[in-house]
């Protein structure tokens, strides 16, 4: 269950980290404001979003290529990603993160300000939602209730860990 959850969510985990590495350039909101605050802020860029999406999709293709061998190795059938899911999981992750920034700006939080709970799960919500829309059947087969529960527990732990490491390595300005 933990392995299935981790495997199925990997294409949604990678985009944020890739965006941190690739970020910079033109902000998506083009500097526009709403109610005196930025629509999204400088932390959401076209490049970061595109690279994050691409990185997650490429990873999903790689996981598909090794799915059989990996399944044999762990003695269980790990999920395969249909093409719509290859695209939906990482795009949903990026959109969830962007939606959270919109929410953060509307609630007066500056770029980089922590939003506990939202920071850790925004991309999961986005990825799961878009995957469910893209391939409802695959979504229900893969994300059974126990797997979903593992995802909800595992993700914040991994998120805190990886962002802490990125912060210590000087890749990220804040550890969240
Ligand atoms: N990033 C990006 N494009 C995205 C998401 C992230 O370019 N769609 C890059 C930015 O350089 C950003 C960094 O990754 O600063 C860290 O991402 P995140 O923590 O999500 O952004 P914050 O800068 O903290 O901004 P916010 O408060 O809006 O979350
Ligand atoms: Mg942040």
């Amino acid at each position: 269950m933990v392995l299935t959850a981790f495997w199925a969510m990997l294409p949604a985990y990678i985009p944020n980290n890739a965006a941190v590495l690739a970020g910079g350039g033109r902000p998506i909101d083009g500097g526009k404001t709403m109610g005196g605050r930025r629509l999204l802020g400088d932390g959401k860029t076209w490049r970061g979003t595109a690279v994050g999406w691409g990185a997650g999709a490429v990873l999903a293709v790689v996981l598909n290529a090794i799915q059989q061998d990996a399944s044999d190795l762990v003695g269980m059938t790990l999920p395969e990603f249909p093409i719509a899911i290859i695209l939906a999981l990482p795009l949903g992750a990026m959109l969830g993160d962007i939606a959270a920034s919109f929410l953060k700006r509307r609630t007066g939080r500056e770029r980089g300000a922590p939003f506990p709970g939202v920071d850790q799960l925004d991309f999961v919500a986005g990825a799961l939602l878009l995957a469910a829309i893209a391939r409802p059947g695959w979504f229900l087969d893969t994300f059974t209730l126990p797997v979903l529960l593992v995802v909800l527990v595992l993700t914040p732990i991994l998120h805190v860990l990886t962002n802490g490491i990125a912060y210590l390595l000087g890749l990220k300005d804040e550890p969240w």
Side-chain angles (χ1 to χ4, degrees), residues 1-25:
M1 232 134 59
V2 175
L3 276 179
T4 304
F6 183 66
W7 184 276
M9 286 305 285
L10 261 179
Y13 287 157
I14 289 309
N16 283 284
N17 302 295
V20 170
L21 297 177

mmCIF file of all heavy atoms in Angstrom, residues 1-25:
data_model
loop_
_atom_site.group_PDB
_atom_site.id
_atom_site.type_symbol
_atom_site.label_atom_id
_atom_site.label_comp_id
_atom_site.label_asym_id
_atom_site.label_seq_id
_atom_site.Cartn_x
_atom_site.Cartn_y
_atom_site.Cartn_z
ATOM 1 N N MET A 1 0.826 -1.212 0.000
ATOM 2 C CA MET A 1 0.000 0.000 0.000
ATOM 3 C C MET A 1 0.856 1.256 0.000
ATOM 4 O O MET A 1 0.624 2.171 -0.784
ATOM 5 C CB MET A 1 -0.890 0.037 1.227
ATOM 6 C CG MET A 1 -2.322 0.256 0.903
ATOM 7 S SD MET A 1 -3.367 -0.879 1.805
ATOM 8 C CE MET A 1 -2.942 -0.485 3.496
ATOM 9 N N VAL A 2 1.848 1.268 0.887
ATOM 10 C CA VAL A 2 2.752 2.421 0.927
ATOM 11 C C VAL A 2 3.510 2.519 -0.391
ATOM 12 O O VAL A 2 3.658 3.613 -0.951
ATOM 13 C CB VAL A 2 3.743 2.305 2.111
ATOM 14 C CG1 VAL A 2 4.742 3.437 2.076
ATOM 15 C CG2 VAL A 2 2.983 2.314 3.431
ATOM 16 N N LEU A 3 3.946 1.366 -0.902
ATOM 17 C CA LEU A 3 4.687 1.356 -2.172
ATOM 18 C C LEU A 3 3.797 1.804 -3.327
ATOM 19 O O LEU A 3 4.214 2.604 -4.167
ATOM 20 C CB LEU A 3 5.236 -0.039 -2.455
ATOM 21 C CG LEU A 3 6.567 -0.375 -1.792
ATOM 22 C CD1 LEU A 3 6.985 -1.791 -2.131
ATOM 23 C CD2 LEU A 3 7.649 0.618 -2.218
ATOM 24 N N THR A 4 2.574 1.298 -3.368
ATOM 25 C CA THR A 4 1.630 1.695 -4.420
ATOM 26 C C THR A 4 1.385 3.196 -4.358
ATOM 27 O O THR A 4 1.412 3.891 -5.379
ATOM 28 C CB THR A 4 0.285 0.956 -4.244
ATOM 29 O OG1 THR A 4 0.547 -0.452 -4.243
ATOM 30 C CG2 THR A 4 -0.675 1.291 -5.360
ATOM 31 N N ALA A 5 1.135 3.690 -3.153
ATOM 32 C CA ALA A 5 0.859 5.117 -2.986
ATOM 33 C C ALA A 5 2.049 5.954 -3.446
ATOM 34 O O ALA A 5 1.891 6.935 -4.177
ATOM 35 C CB ALA A 5 0.538 5.418 -1.520
ATOM 36 N N PHE A 6 3.240 5.539 -3.035
ATOM 37 C CA PHE A 6 4.454 6.287 -3.384
ATOM 38 C C PHE A 6 4.672 6.272 -4.895
ATOM 39 O O PHE A 6 4.912 7.314 -5.512
ATOM 40 C CB PHE A 6 5.649 5.680 -2.651
ATOM 41 C CG PHE A 6 6.937 6.409 -2.885
ATOM 42 C CD1 PHE A 6 7.113 7.710 -2.431
ATOM 43 C CD2 PHE A 6 7.987 5.782 -3.551
ATOM 44 C CE1 PHE A 6 8.310 8.384 -2.659
ATOM 45 C CE2 PHE A 6 9.185 6.444 -3.772
ATOM 46 C CZ PHE A 6 9.339 7.753 -3.329
ATOM 47 N N TRP A 7 4.555 5.084 -5.479
ATOM 48 C CA TRP A 7 4.745 4.921 -6.926
ATOM 49 C C TRP A 7 3.748 5.770 -7.706
ATOM 50 O O TRP A 7 4.113 6.506 -8.627
ATOM 51 C CB TRP A 7 4.597 3.442 -7.292
ATOM 52 C CG TRP A 7 4.856 3.101 -8.728
ATOM 53 C CD1 TRP A 7 3.961 3.187 -9.758
ATOM 54 C CD2 TRP A 7 6.083 2.609 -9.288
ATOM 55 N NE1 TRP A 7 4.551 2.769 -10.922
ATOM 56 C CE2 TRP A 7 5.851 2.407 -10.669
ATOM 57 C CE3 TRP A 7 7.342 2.309 -8.752
ATOM 58 C CZ2 TRP A 7 6.839 1.924 -11.518
ATOM 59 C CZ3 TRP A 7 8.315 1.815 -9.614
ATOM 60 C CH2 TRP A 7 8.068 1.635 -10.967
ATOM 61 N N ALA A 8 2.476 5.663 -7.329
ATOM 62 C CA ALA A 8 1.421 6.366 -8.064
ATOM 63 C C ALA A 8 1.550 7.881 -7.933
ATOM 64 O O ALA A 8 1.148 8.625 -8.830
ATOM 65 C CB ALA A 8 0.043 5.912 -7.578
ATOM 66 N N MET A 9 2.124 8.342 -6.810
ATOM 67 C CA MET A 9 2.210 9.783 -6.584
ATOM 68 C C MET A 9 3.541 10.391 -7.022
ATOM 69 O O MET A 9 3.666 11.621 -7.073
ATOM 70 C CB MET A 9 1.980 10.089 -5.095
ATOM 71 C CG MET A 9 0.535 9.961 -4.649
ATOM 72 S SD MET A 9 -0.604 10.964 -5.626
ATOM 73 C CE MET A 9 -0.240 12.606 -4.992
ATOM 74 N N LEU A 10 4.527 9.545 -7.358
ATOM 75 C CA LEU A 10 5.836 10.091 -7.747
ATOM 76 C C LEU A 10 5.740 11.156 -8.848
ATOM 77 O O LEU A 10 6.388 12.203 -8.737
ATOM 78 C CB LEU A 10 6.774 8.954 -8.174
ATOM 79 C CG LEU A 10 7.768 8.476 -7.104
ATOM 80 C CD1 LEU A 10 8.623 7.332 -7.662
ATOM 81 C CD2 LEU A 10 8.667 9.609 -6.622
ATOM 82 N N PRO A 11 4.933 10.921 -9.907
ATOM 83 C CA PRO A 11 4.830 11.950 -10.956
ATOM 84 C C PRO A 11 4.209 13.259 -10.457
ATOM 85 O O PRO A 11 4.287 14.276 -11.143
ATOM 86 C CB PRO A 11 3.925 11.291 -12.011
ATOM 87 C CG PRO A 11 4.054 9.833 -11.771
ATOM 88 C CD PRO A 11 4.212 9.685 -10.282
ATOM 89 N N ALA A 12 3.593 13.221 -9.266
ATOM 90 C CA ALA A 12 3.040 14.443 -8.688
ATOM 91 C C ALA A 12 3.988 15.057 -7.659
ATOM 92 O O ALA A 12 3.865 16.223 -7.305
ATOM 93 C CB ALA A 12 1.688 14.160 -8.032
ATOM 94 N N TYR A 13 4.938 14.238 -7.174
ATOM 95 C CA TYR A 13 5.890 14.735 -6.172
ATOM 96 C C TYR A 13 7.032 15.523 -6.810
ATOM 97 O O TYR A 13 7.525 16.501 -6.243
ATOM 98 C CB TYR A 13 6.496 13.568 -5.378
ATOM 99 C CG TYR A 13 5.542 12.921 -4.391
ATOM 100 C CD1 TYR A 13 5.735 11.614 -3.965
ATOM 101 C CD2 TYR A 13 4.470 13.622 -3.864
ATOM 102 C CE1 TYR A 13 4.877 11.014 -3.057
ATOM 103 C CE2 TYR A 13 3.605 13.029 -2.958
ATOM 104 C CZ TYR A 13 3.814 11.721 -2.556
ATOM 105 O OH TYR A 13 2.968 11.139 -1.661
ATOM 106 N N ILE A 14 7.466 15.056 -7.971
ATOM 107 C CA ILE A 14 8.645 15.631 -8.617
ATOM 108 C C ILE A 14 8.457 17.075 -9.126
ATOM 109 O O ILE A 14 9.380 17.885 -9.019
ATOM 110 C CB ILE A 14 9.113 14.689 -9.770
ATOM 111 C CG1 ILE A 14 9.729 13.414 -9.168
ATOM 112 C CG2 ILE A 14 10.070 15.364 -10.722
ATOM 113 C CD1 ILE A 14 10.807 13.663 -8.106
ATOM 114 N N PRO A 15 7.272 17.420 -9.674
ATOM 115 C CA PRO A 15 7.117 18.748 -10.274
ATOM 116 C C PRO A 15 7.514 19.915 -9.364
ATOM 117 O O PRO A 15 8.228 20.827 -9.798
ATOM 118 C CB PRO A 15 5.631 18.803 -10.622
ATOM 119 C CG PRO A 15 5.278 17.398 -10.908
ATOM 120 C CD PRO A 15 6.077 16.589 -9.920
ATOM 121 N N ASN A 16 7.093 19.888 -8.105
ATOM 122 C CA ASN A 16 7.439 20.997 -7.204
ATOM 123 C C ASN A 16 8.939 21.151 -7.047
ATOM 124 O O ASN A 16 9.468 22.258 -7.056
ATOM 125 C CB ASN A 16 6.830 20.760 -5.824
ATOM 126 C CG ASN A 16 5.349 21.071 -5.802
ATOM 127 O OD1 ASN A 16 4.962 22.220 -5.783
ATOM 128 N ND2 ASN A 16 4.523 20.041 -5.850
ATOM 129 N N ASN A 17 9.623 20.015 -6.900
ATOM 130 C CA ASN A 17 11.068 20.056 -6.712
ATOM 131 C C ASN A 17 11.762 20.522 -7.981
ATOM 132 O O ASN A 17 12.733 21.288 -7.917
ATOM 133 C CB ASN A 17 11.570 18.680 -6.280
ATOM 134 C CG ASN A 17 10.897 18.215 -4.998
ATOM 135 O OD1 ASN A 17 11.068 18.809 -3.947
ATOM 136 N ND2 ASN A 17 10.087 17.174 -5.097
ATOM 137 N N ALA A 18 11.276 20.064 -9.127
ATOM 138 C CA ALA A 18 11.852 20.507 -10.402
ATOM 139 C C ALA A 18 11.621 22.003 -10.590
ATOM 140 O O ALA A 18 12.506 22.718 -11.072
ATOM 141 C CB ALA A 18 11.237 19.716 -11.556
ATOM 142 N N ALA A 19 10.442 22.483 -10.171
ATOM 143 C CA ALA A 19 10.126 23.908 -10.310
ATOM 144 C C ALA A 19 11.060 24.758 -9.458
ATOM 145 O O ALA A 19 11.481 25.843 -9.868
ATOM 146 C CB ALA A 19 8.674 24.170 -9.924
ATOM 147 N N VAL A 20 11.405 24.252 -8.279
ATOM 148 C CA VAL A 20 12.335 24.983 -7.411
ATOM 149 C C VAL A 20 13.674 25.145 -8.122
ATOM 150 O O VAL A 20 14.280 26.222 -8.102
ATOM 151 C CB VAL A 20 12.524 24.244 -6.067
ATOM 152 C CG1 VAL A 20 13.663 24.871 -5.265
ATOM 153 C CG2 VAL A 20 11.236 24.272 -5.263
ATOM 154 N N LEU A 21 14.120 24.068 -8.786
ATOM 155 C CA LEU A 21 15.414 24.108 -9.477
ATOM 156 C C LEU A 21 15.348 24.983 -10.724
ATOM 157 O O LEU A 21 16.321 25.649 -11.080
ATOM 158 C CB LEU A 21 15.842 22.687 -9.873
ATOM 159 C CG LEU A 21 16.074 21.704 -8.713
ATOM 160 C CD1 LEU A 21 16.429 20.320 -9.243
ATOM 161 C CD2 LEU A 21 17.194 22.223 -7.791
ATOM 162 N N ALA A 22 14.187 24.981 -11.393
ATOM 163 C CA ALA A 22 14.071 25.645 -12.699
ATOM 164 C C ALA A 22 13.453 27.029 -12.607
ATOM 165 O O ALA A 22 13.445 27.772 -13.579
ATOM 166 C CB ALA A 22 13.237 24.786 -13.647
ATOM 167 N N GLY A 23 12.928 27.388 -11.441
ATOM 168 C CA GLY A 23 12.167 28.625 -11.283
ATOM 169 C C GLY A 23 12.944 29.854 -11.724
ATOM 170 O O GLY A 23 14.160 29.851 -11.843
ATOM 171 N N GLY A 24 12.184 30.913 -11.970
ATOM 172 C CA GLY A 24 12.786 32.149 -12.442
ATOM 173 C C GLY A 24 12.136 32.551 -13.743
ATOM 174 O O GLY A 24 11.364 31.797 -14.321
ATOM 175 N N GLY A 25 12.426 33.753 -14.175
ATOM 176 C CA GLY A 25 11.818 34.240 -15.406
ATOM 177 C C GLY A 25 10.464 34.871 -15.154
ATOM 178 O O GLY A 25 10.170 35.279 -14.023
#
